[in-house]
């Protein structure tokens, strides 16, 4: 169901992702520990408001989505909640409140830049272009662009869609990947853009598109959420490499160090893999089960977050 195998992504790509996600983190941990420099703008605002604003997505299961009661839940949100605890330590306020703010794939970066949210807890790819504007946590998942098609469709790869219609979600790296592939292979695709993943999925359901392109894990999550295993399938080669991270304001090394410490605490307590399994292999609170085991790449990235003595023996 869209699982990324150990051979499907190169070790060089993993190193690139790790380097990108950690660029602003490792050199700044000492800054946050001094405590004598005051708080960075985001942390100062959090301390004043006693609140951390978490950006969430409505339809990116299992990373960030709504349960039956409309409450934001998911893997990314749990990671963000761990960061909130660490922020509480940094600003000396253990009772910080959380304000959940809805964002979309199109406005999530602007929400960070405009100080509408403090952490973006969704399914956001960390790449060099975005890294010029925002910062990212250590690696939390590795995905790649694939296709969702009707189960009866003969489509096996993007080239089979020549001259046909494909839907993508606005503001995603998948949109860029499909446009690039279309141009490179002269496929003559009609590329339709929807506002969110749920709308993209619905266009496929309604027959307004021949395929829906986004990250494979999100396609699998949507199929599971809609109990549509008998209607749709995920297919095609990987059309992009997408390392995910929690997004936050760039240029605040103290905040970056807090985010990294939260990940390292989870890693040292051996909490990262169980947290992954809770959302990707166990049954979700909404009843679905994705059955996507952790990839070797992500498991190695989590091991690198373990600072405990036993990890270094």
């Amino acid at each position: 169901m869209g699982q990324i195998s150990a051979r499907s992504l190169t070790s060089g790509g993993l190193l690139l992702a790790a380097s990108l996600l950690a660029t602003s983190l490792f050199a700044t941990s000492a800054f946050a520990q001094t405590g004598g420099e005051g708080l960075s703008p985001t942390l100062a605002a959090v301390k004043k408001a006693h609140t951390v604003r978490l950006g969430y997505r409505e339809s990116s299961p299992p990373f960030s989505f709504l349960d039956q009661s409309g409450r934001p839940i998911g893997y990314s949100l749990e990671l963000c909640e761990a960061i909130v605890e660490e922020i509480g330590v940094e600003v000396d306020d253990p009772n910080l409140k959380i304000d959940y703010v809805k964002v979309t794939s199109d406005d999530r970066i602007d929400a960070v830049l405009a100080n509408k949210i403090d952490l973006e807890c969704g399914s956001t790819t960390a790449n060099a272009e975005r890294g010029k504007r925002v910062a990212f946590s250590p690696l939390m998942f590795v995905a790649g662009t694939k296709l969702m098609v009707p189960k009866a469709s003969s489509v096996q790869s993007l080239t089979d869609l020549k001259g046909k219609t494909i839907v993508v979600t606005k503001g995603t790296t998948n949109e860029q990947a499909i446009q690039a592939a279309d141009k490179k292979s002269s496929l003559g695709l009609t590329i339709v853009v929807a506002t969110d993943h749920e709308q993209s999925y619905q266009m496929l359901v309604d027959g307004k598109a021949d395929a829906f392109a986004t990250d494979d894990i999100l396609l699998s999550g949507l199929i599971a959420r809609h109990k549509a295993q008998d209607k749709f399938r995920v297919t095609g080669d990987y059309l992009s490499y997408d390392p995910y991270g929690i997004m936050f304001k760039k240029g605040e090394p103290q905040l970056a160090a807090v985010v990294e410490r939260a990940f390292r605490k989870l890693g040292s307590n051996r909490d990262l893999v169980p947290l992954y399994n809770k959302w990707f292999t166990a049954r979700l609170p909404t009843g679905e089960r994705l059955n996507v085991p952790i990839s070797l790449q992500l498991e190695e990235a989590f091991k690198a977050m373990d600072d405990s003595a036993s990890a270094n023996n």
Side-chain angles (χ1 to χ4, degrees), residues 6 26 40 76 80 105 114 153 173 175 182 191 211 224 266 272 288 292:
F26 293 99
S40 72
S76 300
C80 278
S105 58
S153 170
T173 55
E175 179 183 5
D182 180 38
I191 302 173
L266 290 171
L272 284 171
E288 311 91 336
V292 179

Side-chain angles (χ1 to χ4, degrees), residues 36-54:
E37 300 294 332
L39 296 173
S40 72
T42 296
L43 295 177
V46 165
K47 185 174 180 65
K48 182 177 180 180
H50 307 288
T51 302
V52 181
R53 297 161 302 168
L54 302 185

Side-chain angles (χ1 to χ4, degrees), residues 210-228:
D210 299 291
F212 168 26
T214 195
D215 293 345
D216 58 327
I217 186 62
L218 299 180
L219 295 174
S220 296
L222 286 165
I223 289 173
R225 187 180 188 188
H226 289 279
K227 297 179 174 58

Side-chain angles (χ1 to χ4, degrees), residues 17 33 51 56 137 170 178 181 195 211 221 234 237 246 249 284 300:
Q33 300 293 342
T51 302
Y56 73 92
S137 72
K170 187 176 182 180
I178 294 299
T195 57
V234 178
D237 296 327
I246 302 297
K249 198 75 175 286
L284 298 176
E300 287 301 313

Side-chain angles (χ1 to χ4, degrees), residues 67-214:
D67 65 10
Q68 291 94 331
S69 65
R71 181 175 64 96
I73 60 172
Y75 172 66
S76 300
L77 285 164
E78 280 213 48
L79 287 170
C80 278
E81 287 161 7
I83 296 172
V84 170
E85 288 188 20
E86 193 62 29
I87 289 175
V89 173
E90 188 75 4
V91 303
D92 194 24
D93 186 348
N95 299 310
L96 290 174
K97 297 178 182 178
I98 292 177
D99 183 14
Y100 294 96
V101 181
K102 185 180 76 171
V103 296
T104 67
S105 58
D106 193 37
D107 68 15
R108 56 189 164 177
I109 294 178
D110 288 338
V112 172
L113 296 176
N115 295 315
K116 293 180 179 179
I117 58 174
D118 303 308
L119 300 169
E120 191 268 335
C121 317
S123 50
T124 299
T125 299
N127 57 30
E129 180 182 352
R130 289 173 174 172
K132 296 175 183 177
R133 306 175 67 198
V134 293
F136 290 92
S137 72
L139 187 70
M140 69 172 191
F141 193 79
V142 183
T145 305
K146 281 201 171 189
L147 306 171
M148 184 196 296
V149 297
K151 203 148 192 182
S153 170
S154 62
V155 171
Q156 299 294 330
S157 67
L158 187 64
T159 55
D160 294 330
L161 287 166
K162 188 170 184 177
K164 296 184 181 296
T165 299
I166 187 168
V167 61
V168 294
T169 304
K170 187 176 182 180
T172 61
T173 55
N174 318 107
E175 179 183 5
Q176 299 169 9
I178 294 299
Q179 289 172 343
D182 180 38
K183 183 177 180 180
K184 180 180 179 180
S185 301
S186 301
L187 297 175
L189 296 173
T190 298
I191 302 173
V192 181
V193 179
T195 57
D196 58 35
H197 295 319
E198 191 64 35
Q199 187 181 83
S200 294
Y201 173 83
Q202 195 58 48
M203 289 192 68
L204 187 63
V205 171
D206 294 341
K208 296 178 180 178
D210 299 291
F212 168 26
T214 195

